[in-house]
Amino acid sequence: MTQDVEMKELPAPSNSASSSPPSTLHHLKEIASLIETGAYAREVRRIVRVVRLTMALRRKLNAQVLSAFLGFAVAPGSELHSRLSSYLPKDNVHDMDVDTATSTTQTPGKHSLPELEIYCYLLILIFLIDQKRYNEAKACASASIARLKNLNRRTVDVLASRLYFYYSLCYELTGDLAEIRGNLLALHRIATLRHDELGQETLLNLLLRNYLHYNLFDQAEKLRSKAPRFEAHSNQQFCRYLFYLGKIRTIQLEYTDAKESLLQAARKAPVAALGFRVQCNKWAIIVRLLLGEIPERTVFMQKGMEKALRPYFELTNAVRIGDLELFRNVAEKFSSTFNSDRTHNLIVRLRHNVIRTGLRNISISYSRISLADVAKKLRLDSANPIADAESIVSKAIRDGAIDATIDHANGWMVSKETGDIYSTNEPQFAFNSRIAFCLNMHNEAVRALRFPPNSHKEKEGAEKRRERQQQEQELAKHIAEEDDDEF
């Protein structure tokens, strides 16, 4: 009896191990049938579901499963099958020959849909990028893009937008983004002519990323301003667009618009997109510092972001204190981080804000102080610190940052007595900005509401109409009798 029990238990692990690859293959076959249904019924929502299901299977893809699926989806021996199979690594593919043969004998030449062909390209491209086979991925992506140019079907648009993204990604990973800029512009023109709005969104973001990668901010702004705009179809693409727009506005010194775009991108981004939200917060922190604001501590304490935002927390602390020496030390300490984030040039701009903050603290603390002491407290390390301090104080007085005067004869800065802020218009401006924000949020919420069709046109039945008319006649008769009684 014990031997029988052991004989029953021994094959169990091997069965589970052998059933795992067919399980992934089975899911891919179901996705293929879903593509067929969506293509024949012309339902784009089914193709959207295909992309979502594929992303869930991404980690389970391997060469064996993909080879078996190609044998199922594409006619063996055809030019397309040989081209797609050439991108797969040759090792361990022969282990799945039996499964491939059985799948092809079940449905010989059944699938010839362009949607399924593009889906096979997408699967192989994702697999090659995950395996870090970037040269093969570039060849596969170029072949898929050449095929896409000859297809004008709305059910292909969703798969095409994903192919555009991975096409740009594999060239970015190899440092060859500039090579495909002209091709991306041509694809954007084709998508515009075909009214492929999702493709236009994706390609516009890829072009903006391409320009910003090489610091071509003027070209990026020209493209963004002249590209057609419409209602966003993808939340992810809209978030990317807001992020790129915020970066362009920041470089162009339009900090208020940049702050709004970056914060909106961080709020709309999915919770799972942690890296994207970290980048949005880094740029938003710098923009708020350039505007003279100090971000709240909770911004740096968000879950999963504490370590990534630590350099920006110390930088914010230096700006808040107005200590130029501390600011310089922080900039040198995390220079590699700021260079990798491409925010180093913006941090150089912050030096003026640090000096202005320190000068404001000095103006509040002292009613009269010599310019030499101002230079010493600001830790100015120039050849003539007193002259520099005088020019800095003069500019701050002119810009309205401090309320003071300069006594040039004695070399003093004389601060005026601080008045009551509630006697100025500052509270009114603060309340006005908050009210405008709340009204804007309310309007966006109202626009996002969905109502059932014809809910405001409830049709009244004949019986209800007769009952209502009878009640109105009785009421009118009753009122007339009351009027007669009064007279």
Side-chain angles (χ1 to χ4, degrees), residues 252-486:
Q252 294 179 336
L253 306 179
E254 300 177 10
Y255 297 135
T256 304
D257 295 338
K259 171 190 167 185
E260 183 179 351
S261 298
L262 292 169
L263 291 179
Q264 190 176 1
R267 284 196 298 266
K268 287 181 175 290
V271 179
L274 182 62
F276 179 80
R277 291 192 294 119
V278 167
Q279 287 296 322
C280 289
N281 279 282
K282 286 179 178 179
W283 278 75
I285 289 168
I286 296 295
V287 169
R288 293 184 66 180
L289 291 175
L290 288 169
L291 282 170
E293 303 177 6
I294 302 298
E296 301 81 5
R297 184 179 289 267
T298 54
V299 174
F300 305 95
M301 299 294 113
Q302 298 180 62
K303 185 178 180 181
M305 300 187 189
E306 297 91 344
K307 184 177 180 180
L309 296 181
R310 183 68 188 179
Y312 295 87
F313 175 74
E314 296 191 16
L315 187 71
T316 302
N317 189 43
V319 175
R320 182 182 61 85
I321 297 173
D323 191 338
L324 194 59
E325 184 67 25
L326 179 60
F327 172 79
R328 195 179 297 114
N329 292 336
V330 171
E332 292 177 357
K333 179 180 177 182
F334 299 105
S335 59
S336 59
T337 303
F338 297 143
N339 285 323
S340 62
D341 293 338
R342 297 194 171 190
T343 56
H344 186 266
N345 291 336
L346 300 177
I347 290 170
V348 172
R349 297 183 190 178
L350 280 174
R351 182 178 182 274
H352 179 67
N353 293 57
V354 176
I355 294 174
R356 178 171 291 190
T357 303
L359 188 60
R360 190 181 300 117
N361 294 336
I362 293 172
S363 173
I364 294 173
S365 303
Y366 296 92
S367 60
R368 187 179 66 181
I369 185 172
S370 65
L371 295 175
D373 290 337
V374 170
K376 188 183 299 183
K377 289 183 177 296
L378 292 178
R379 300 185 183 183
L380 300 177
D381 53 355
S382 58
N384 192 355
I386 298 178
D388 289 346
E390 184 175 359
S391 63
I392 290 171
V393 171
S394 301
K395 190 174 187 304
I397 293 173
R398 187 191 65 187
D399 295 342
I402 60 174
D403 191 8
T405 57
I406 298 179
D407 186 351
H408 296 280
N410 297 318
W412 290 338
M413 181 186 77
V414 181
S415 302
K416 297 181 180 179
E417 186 177 352
T418 57
D420 185 10
I421 193 172
Y422 289 100
S423 62
T424 65
N425 293 328
E426 289 297 326
Q428 179 184 352
F429 295 148
F431 280 120
N432 184 54
S433 63
R434 295 179 186 179
I435 292 170
F437 175 78
C438 293
L439 290 175
N440 186 34
M441 181 182 294
H442 173 266
N443 293 336
E444 289 183 357
V446 171
R447 281 196 294 267
L449 290 176
R450 294 291 182 268
F451 299 97
N454 296 326
S455 60
H456 62 291
K457 298 179 181 178
E458 294 183 2
K459 294 184 178 180
E460 189 179 34
E463 185 177 354
K464 288 185 176 180
R465 189 185 306 111
R466 286 195 300 268
E467 184 178 354
R468 178 176 56 80
Q469 291 176 353
Q470 184 179 359
Q471 289 177 356
E472 290 176 354
Q473 290 176 0
E474 291 177 357
L475 181 60
K477 184 179 179 181
H478 181 66
I479 293 174
E481 289 177 354
E482 286 184 352
D483 293 339
D484 293 340
D485 293 336
E486 288 179 359

Side-chain angles (χ1 to χ4, degrees), residues 161-300:
S161 66
R162 302 304 300 173
L163 272 179
Y164 297 148
F165 172 76
Y166 290 114
Y167 172 59
S168 177
L169 178 62
C170 60
Y171 275 86
E172 182 178 354
L173 292 172
T174 55
D176 301 325
L177 262 182
E179 295 180 9
I180 62 170
R181 188 180 303 153
N183 207 1
L184 290 177
L185 287 168
L187 289 170
H188 186 269
R189 182 169 60 252
I190 293 172
T192 304
L193 295 174
R194 293 176 177 175
H195 301 285
D196 176 12
E197 295 186 350
L198 181 58
Q200 291 179 62
E201 280 184 346
T202 306
L203 289 166
L204 177 60
N205 285 332
L206 293 177
L207 284 166
L208 292 178
R209 183 179 183 86
N210 197 310
Y211 283 123
L212 296 181
H213 182 78
Y214 295 101
N215 295 326
L216 302 175
F217 291 95
D218 291 337
Q219 289 89 328
E221 173 59 21
K222 289 178 182 178
L223 172 67
R224 187 209 64 80
S225 61
K226 296 181 179 180
R229 294 299 303 158
F230 37 79
E231 185 179 355
H233 291 262
S234 171
N235 181 60
Q236 289 85 351
Q237 296 300 331
F238 185 53
C239 290
R240 291 191 181 102
Y241 174 77
L242 288 173
F243 176 59
Y244 298 144
L245 178 60
K247 294 177 74 171
I248 294 172
R249 291 284 184 262
T250 303
I251 299 299
Q252 294 179 336
L253 306 179
E254 300 177 10
Y255 297 135
T256 304
D257 295 338
K259 171 190 167 185
E260 183 179 351
S261 298
L262 292 169
L263 291 179
Q264 190 176 1
R267 284 196 298 266
K268 287 181 175 290
V271 179
L274 182 62
F276 179 80
R277 291 192 294 119
V278 167
Q279 287 296 322
C280 289
N281 279 282
K282 286 179 178 179
W283 278 75
I285 289 168
I286 296 295
V287 169
R288 293 184 66 180
L289 291 175
L290 288 169
L291 282 170
E293 303 177 6
I294 302 298
E296 301 81 5
R297 184 179 289 267
T298 54
V299 174
F300 305 95

